[in-house]
């Protein structure tokens, strides 16, 4: 570790060790509704699957957090993932209230550069990727009302998942329950928020199912921020006997309205927090989309010690976006995204020691027909861009876990990826911008876990991340189509140590320290005349030093506390932009140095439940020069409800308050925006309420 890391982070480690901080959430029970019983105690063993093997958390040489169903669904507004993921250290989220930009998620700074959507973080739902081969991801098709568990790998994981794996979010939908159920959930609140969900599930000897249909409407706090979304999610589990299993999933998302109020200047944010940027209103900025996702995962044993897992998926996405300018300001594309993979697992012995091996490959293909038209004050104008964009990726990987001794586990992994970008220009008025770019990367990892006692283990890991520019980030700032040939892939190397443990059987903690070196970090910027459209440049080198801890305590059978703290020192070591501006030594924009989360939750067998939580985030910079600042804030929320059981029926009314302290803060920052339009103001104090009726038969 370098001197800066030791000088800044180690004092915090001493303090953290003295408070025995840093815990994981317990694994979820098999439950059929958001009004399920309380989660299991921290003492229960946690099994993770995001590592491509079902592995006890204590055997994983990486920082992993797990969020369970009650923290995702029970009494939640279910607008975005940040409602439940704020408890995970190392994860920072913005933009819950702008559906046109999608939730921005960063893990250890990976993803912080995104002004919309998700970059550098691999997102999977039931093993099916929501991240494209080019590295761009989204969570607008994630149905929170049918999500049972979320696993988060906090740190570079390209050895497992290839391109754009600075972190991993592995989402699991509700499994079919043993007892059939039907459920209706209604909720409503301020800013004309309303959401309806109908859900049902059950199983026979050979087939289990869960289906969910939801409809969301939200006028929003700011002008030009209305959103509508309808989702259908279905899951079928087939049991063919002899441990042969097939999972089939389907999701359909229709989001016809997602208005974009845009970023505003500091002066406008202060004088009129609800205002949209005027040109966003003039050009009717926003997006509309429909998406269908069909996926299959098949597991079959090959003898006593071997197994095979195959996955296959198909995604169709139609998308249109109105940007706040005229020339080329209306973007449309039709996307077909398909792929699959195969992994072979062996659980046996090597050199007379227990050994587990996983080896496999992934193949993915993304095909976009993209057009741009003039945006004549919200009306489609003349075509001025037409090209086909094809991105294909192929990766092969190997990971091996060897128990050197009873207490020492060694994990080694290696992956090779190749990503091909192919553009065919169909708009030849300004010349032929067709072309190809091929990027490849090799991603090794090595980790050890030492178990000092059943209640305490230590780990150390070396891991890497390989990240190509996305097709959008390859946009040529000089205009026209084709590629920005000056862009290179971003590469990261992570060194990490950590510890996990239990105290008195009721307190689970974990602690991680890391230093990450990033070469050719991808940084966004805007050009005059195209506000809202991002272009990208490579920064020479950056360093990320940090500490993460969390502590979950089952204080009594009714009370639980959660504390999570993140320290992040993310800076450019060497970065001179195309205009000669030297940003070396500056903080990477869109990151907060200190983030602290605390929650107190209560659940009584009589039926009452509730929680109060608070999130503190220190100031953030909105530009590379660190001259534009978003102030620190403390955001508190509260929710309370009651479960009333009567025979086969369970009635669960609830009420909640967002931003309990009526804090003024920015829900999002537009990084390096032209004209100082950095800020998107969040709503003040607001209330929502709902009721769930669950019937088991």
């Amino acid at each position: 570790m370098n001197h800066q890391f030791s000088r800044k982070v180690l004092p915090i480690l001493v303090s953290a060790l003295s408070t025995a901080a840093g815990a994981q959430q317990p694994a979820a029970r098999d439950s059929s509704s958001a009004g399920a019983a309380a989660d299991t105690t921290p003492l229960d063993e946690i099994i993770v699957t995001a590592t491509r093997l079902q592995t006890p958390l204590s055997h994983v040489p990486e920082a992993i957090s797990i969020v369970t169903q009650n923290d995702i669904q029970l009494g939640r507004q279910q607008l975005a993932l940040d409602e439940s993921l704020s408890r995970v250290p190392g994860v920072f989220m913005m933009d819950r209230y702008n559906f046109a930009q999608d939730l921005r998620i960063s893990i250890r700074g990976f993803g912080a550069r995104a002004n919309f959507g998700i970059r550098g973080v691999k997102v999977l739902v039931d093993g099916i990727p929501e991240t494209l081969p080019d590295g761009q991801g989204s969570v607008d098709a994630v149905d929170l009302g049918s999500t049972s568990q979320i696993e988060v790998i906090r740190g570079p994981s390209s050895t497992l998942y290839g391109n754009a794996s600075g972190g991993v979010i592995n989402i699991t939908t509700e499994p079919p329950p043993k007892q059939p159920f039907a459920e209706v959930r209604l909720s409503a609140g301020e800013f004309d928020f309303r959401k309806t969900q109908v859900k049902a599930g059950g199983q026979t000897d050979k087939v289990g199912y869960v289906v969910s249909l939801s409809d969301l409407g939200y006028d929003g706090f700011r002008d030009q921020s209305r959103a509508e979304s309808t989702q259908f999610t279905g899951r079928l589990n087939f049991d063919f006997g002899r441990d042969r299993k097939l999972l089939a999933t389907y999701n359909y998302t229709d989001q016809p309205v997602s208005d974009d109020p845009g970023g505003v200047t500091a002066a406008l944010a202060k004088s009129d927090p609800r205002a949209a940027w005027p040109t966003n209103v003039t050009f009717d900025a926003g997006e509309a989309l429909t998406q269908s996702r069909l996926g299959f995962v098949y597991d079959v044993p090959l003898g006593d010690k071997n197994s095979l897992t195959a996955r296959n998926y198909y995604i169709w996405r139609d998308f249109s976006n109105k940007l706040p300018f005229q020339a080329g300001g209306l973007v449309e594309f039709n996307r077909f995204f398909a792929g699959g993979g195969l992994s072979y697992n062996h659980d046996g012995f090597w050199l007379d020691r227990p050994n587990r091996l996983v080896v496999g490959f992934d193949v993915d293909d993304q095909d976009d027909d993209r057009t741009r038209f003039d945006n004549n004050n919200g009306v489609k104008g003349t075509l001025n861009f037409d090209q086909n964009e094809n991105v294909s990726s192929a990766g092969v990987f190997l990971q091996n876990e060897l128990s050197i001794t009873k207490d020492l586990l060694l994990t080694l992994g290696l992956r090779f990826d190749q990503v091909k970008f192919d553009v065919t220009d169909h708009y030849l008025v300004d010349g032929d911008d067709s072309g190809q770019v091929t990027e490849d990367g090799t991603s090794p990892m090595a980790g050890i876990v030492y178990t000092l006692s059943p209640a305490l283990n230590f780990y150390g890991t070396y891991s890497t991340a390989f990240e190509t520019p996305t097709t959008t980030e390859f946009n040529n700032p000089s205009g026209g189509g084709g590629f920005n040939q000056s862009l290179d892939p971003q590469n990261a190397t992570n060194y990490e140590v950590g510890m996990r443990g239990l105290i008195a059987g009721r307190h689970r903690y974990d602690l991680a320290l890391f230093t990450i070196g990033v070469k050719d970090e991808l940084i966004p910027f805007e050009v005059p005349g195209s506000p809202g459209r991002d272009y990208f440049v490579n920064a020479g080198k950056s360093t990320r030093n940090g500490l993460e801890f969390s502590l979950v305590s089952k204080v009594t059978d009714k009370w639980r506390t959660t504390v999570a703290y993140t320290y992040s020192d993310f800076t450019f070591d060497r970065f001179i932009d195309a205009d000669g501006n030297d940003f070396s030594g500056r903080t990477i924009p869109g990151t907060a140095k200190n983030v602290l989360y605390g929650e107190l939750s209560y659940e009584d067998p009589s039926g009452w439940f509730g929680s109060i939580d608070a999130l503190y985030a220190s100031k953030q910079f909105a530009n590379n020069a660190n001259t534009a600042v978003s102030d620190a804030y403390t955001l508190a929320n509260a929710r309370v409800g009651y479960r009333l059981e009567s025979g086969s029926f369970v009635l669960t009314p609830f009420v909640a308050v967002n931003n309990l302290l009526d804090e003024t803060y920015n829900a999002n920052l537009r990084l390096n925006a032209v004209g100082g339009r950095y800020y998107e103001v969040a709503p003040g104090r607001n209330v929502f309420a709902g009721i769930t009726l669950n019937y088991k038969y």
Side-chain angles (χ1 to χ4, degrees):
M1 297 183 185
N2 61 31
H3 175 69
Q4 185 183 40
F5 178 71
S6 302
R7 178 171 55 84
K8 293 189 175 183
V9 178
L10 289 180
I12 298 176
L13 171 61
V14 175
S15 175
L17 286 171
S18 68
T19 58
Q24 299 294 334
Q25 297 263 352
R29 286 181 177 173
D30 180 14
S31 116
S32 60
S33 76
D39 290 336
T40 52
T41 67
L43 183 60
D44 291 345
E45 184 178 51
I46 298 172
I47 303 297
V48 298
T49 60
T51 55
R52 289 192 182 261
L53 289 170
Q54 289 197 359
T55 306
L57 177 62
S58 59
H59 292 177
V60 179
E62 295 173 287
I64 296 185
S65 297
I66 297 177
V67 181
T68 54
Q69 185 168 323
N70 277 0
D71 289 320
I72 300 167
Q73 296 188 27
L74 186 60
R76 296 290 190 186
Q77 194 169 13
Q78 298 180 18
L79 280 181
L81 281 168
D82 63 315
E83 298 169 8
S84 53
L85 291 187
S86 293
R87 69 186 58 250
V88 178
V91 179
F92 190 66
M93 291 151 292
M94 304 188 76
D95 222 6
R96 182 201 304 189
Y97 299 104
N98 188 332
F99 290 82
Q101 300 295 307
D102 205 0
L103 184 68
R104 286 178 52 211
I105 302 176
S106 66
I107 300 177
R108 296 184 177 178
F110 295 97
R113 74 176 188 268
N115 276 339
F116 68 92
I118 300 171
R119 307 287 193 277
V121 175
K122 185 74 71 174
V123 180
L124 302 107
V125 180
D126 290 325
I128 306 303
E130 279 289 332
T131 300
L132 298 168
D134 69 355
Q136 179 177 328
S138 64
V139 290
D140 48 28
V142 173
D143 182 5
L144 293 173
S146 63
T147 296
S148 68
Q149 182 167 290
I150 304 172
E151 300 173 355
V152 182
I153 300 180
R154 307 181 335 247
S157 305
S158 283
T159 303
L160 290 171
Y161 291 106
N163 185 26
S165 298
V168 177
I169 298 176
N170 186 43
I171 298 168
T172 303
T173 58
E174 290 183 41
K178 294 180 180 179
Q179 184 175 7
F181 80 98
E183 181 177 289
V184 177
R185 186 182 196 267
L186 305 173
S187 55
E190 294 185 64
F191 313 122
D192 204 16
F193 161 73
R194 62 272 183 201
K195 186 172 184 179
T196 303
Q197 182 178 29
V198 180
K199 186 166 57 174
Q203 59 179 286
T204 65
D205 291 341
K206 299 297 182 181
V207 181
Y209 69 93
V210 175
V211 293
S212 170
L213 177 65
S214 65
D215 185 73
L216 167 71
Y218 186 61
D219 282 0
F221 166 69
R222 298 174 62 199
D223 299 335
Q224 189 70 21
S225 61
R226 187 167 63 97
E228 297 177 5
S229 179
T230 300
Q231 287 188 320
F232 173 81
T233 300
R235 168 177 175 150
L236 293 173
N237 287 67
F238 298 91
D239 185 352
F240 298 118
R242 294 183 296 176
D243 292 327
R244 296 173 300 165
K245 300 176 182 179
L246 173 67
L247 168 65
T249 64
Y250 177 74
N251 172 270
Y252 174 76
T253 299
D254 180 20
Q255 197 167 298
V257 179
S258 298
D259 291 338
D260 180 10
V264 300
T265 62
L268 183 55
K270 183 177 181 180
S271 64
D272 189 359
R274 303 190 69 159
W277 187 245
T279 54
N280 281 59
V281 177
T282 299
F283 290 99
D284 191 25
E287 68 178 37
L289 66 92
T290 60
Q291 175 174 300
S292 295
R293 179 181 69 237
L294 177 65
F296 305 94
V297 179
Y298 180 62
D299 292 294
V300 57
L302 303 174
D304 295 335
K305 298 181 179 180
N306 307 295
S307 64
L308 201 64
T309 299
R311 67 177 177 88
N312 180 226
Y313 66 89
Y314 308 89
I315 297 176
W316 298 264
R317 187 178 179 96
D318 295 333
F319 177 89
S320 65
N321 185 23
K322 297 176 184 176
L323 298 170
F325 53 87
Q326 182 180 20
L330 196 153
V331 180
E332 295 180 349
F333 67 73
N334 302 112
R335 170 175 295 152
F336 178 61
F337 171 29
L342 195 67
S343 61
Y344 164 78
N345 301 328
H346 175 74
D347 192 347
F349 289 84
W350 185 49
L351 302 177
D352 293 326
R353 301 302 308 165
N355 189 78
R356 295 205 304 168
L357 170 71
V358 56
V359 59
F361 67 88
D362 298 312
V363 178
D364 304 288
D365 187 82
Q366 167 191 346
D367 191 81
D368 295 355
D369 289 320
R370 187 184 301 267
T371 53
R372 295 180 192 157
F373 302 84
D374 288 343
N375 183 354
N376 296 326
N377 295 343
V379 177
K380 182 189 291 188
T382 305
L383 174 73
N384 55 34
F385 181 94
D386 183 1
Q387 68 181 26
N388 174 267
E389 301 165 350
N390 181 265
V391 185
S392 60
S393 67
V396 293
F397 60 89
L398 178 150
Q399 186 157 305
N400 193 79
E401 298 176 0
L402 175 65
S403 296
I404 297 177
T405 68
K406 178 174 65 71
D407 300 321
L408 185 63
L409 180 71
L410 172 66
T411 301
L412 298 173
L414 185 67
R415 179 176 175 124
F416 175 78
D417 286 279
Q418 185 176 80
V419 185
K420 295 181 179 180
F421 297 80
D422 191 341
V423 167
T424 303
D425 190 358
H426 299 303
Y427 186 78
L428 305 177
V429 175
D430 56 355
D432 189 348
D433 292 312
S434 301
Q436 294 181 340
V437 173
T438 300
E439 309 285 5
D440 56 57
T442 301
S443 306
M445 73 84 62
I448 57 170
V449 177
Y450 178 68
T451 301
L452 185 64
S453 74
L456 177 62
N457 67 72
F458 298 87
Y459 73 86
T461 188
Y462 160 84
S463 59
T464 56
F466 162 73
E467 188 173 343
T468 67
T470 68
T471 52
T472 302
E473 292 169 351
F474 262 125
N475 280 346
N476 195 339
S478 62
F483 296 102
N484 179 358
Q485 297 289 346
S486 64
L487 281 185
D488 293 317
Q490 172 180 305
N491 290 276
T493 303
N494 174 65
Y495 297 92
E496 178 179 343
V497 294
M499 61 185 291
R500 304 184 185 94
L502 288 168
I503 300 175
R506 284 186 172 268
H507 314 278
R508 185 183 296 275
Y509 66 90
D510 81 16
L511 172 68
L513 295 96
F514 64 87
T515 182
I516 305 174
V518 182
K519 294 182 179 180
D520 296 320
E521 179 140 3
L522 292 158
I523 301 297
F525 67 95
E526 289 186 358
V527 298
S530 297
R533 176 177 293 173
D534 293 326
Y535 301 96
F536 286 80
V537 65
N538 290 112
K541 185 180 180 183
S542 62
T543 299
R544 306 176 188 185
N545 298 320
L547 175 150
E548 301 160 354
F549 74 79
S550 62
L551 171 67
V552 176
S553 298
K554 197 78 172 179
V555 182
T556 70
D557 291 339
K558 299 178 182 180
W559 292 94
R560 185 186 70 176
T561 61
T562 302
V563 176
Y565 172 70
T566 304
Y567 171 80
S568 305
D569 182 14
F570 301 162
T571 58
F572 295 121
D573 295 334
R574 185 177 68 253
F575 179 22
I576 301 175
D577 70 7
D579 296 324
N581 300 306
D582 190 349
F583 301 121
S584 303
R586 306 290 186 181
T587 297
I588 297 174
T591 63
K593 181 159 288 190
N594 295 282
V595 177
L596 176 64
Y597 175 87
E599 181 185 41
L600 176 65
S601 60
Y602 174 83
E603 186 158 355
D604 190 278
S606 67
W608 287 102
F609 65 89
S611 73
I612 184 167
D613 63 73
L615 175 73
Y616 167 80
S618 60
K619 70 178 181 180
Q620 303 164 65
F621 297 110
N623 61 353
N624 294 335
N626 293 176
T627 55
V629 181
S630 180
D631 293 335
Y633 62 86
T634 300
L635 182 63
N637 308 287
R639 54 187 170 130
V640 64
Y642 183 76
R643 298 179 70 249
L644 176 63
E645 297 189 31
S646 178
S648 297
F649 290 92
V650 179
L651 187 68
T652 309
F654 58 89
V655 63
V657 183
N658 292 323
N659 196 357
L660 188 64
L661 305 177
D662 201 25
E663 180 87 329
T664 299
Y665 73 104
N666 293 307
N668 187 40
L669 296 178
R670 302 283 183 114
L671 305 183
N672 297 314
V674 170
R677 302 173 295 96
Y678 304 116
Y679 309 102
E680 295 190 51
V681 184
R685 183 187 301 114
N686 63 96
V687 179
F688 68 91
I691 188 167
T692 300
L693 177 62
N694 181 276
Y695 172 70
K696 293 183 174 66
Y697 54 92

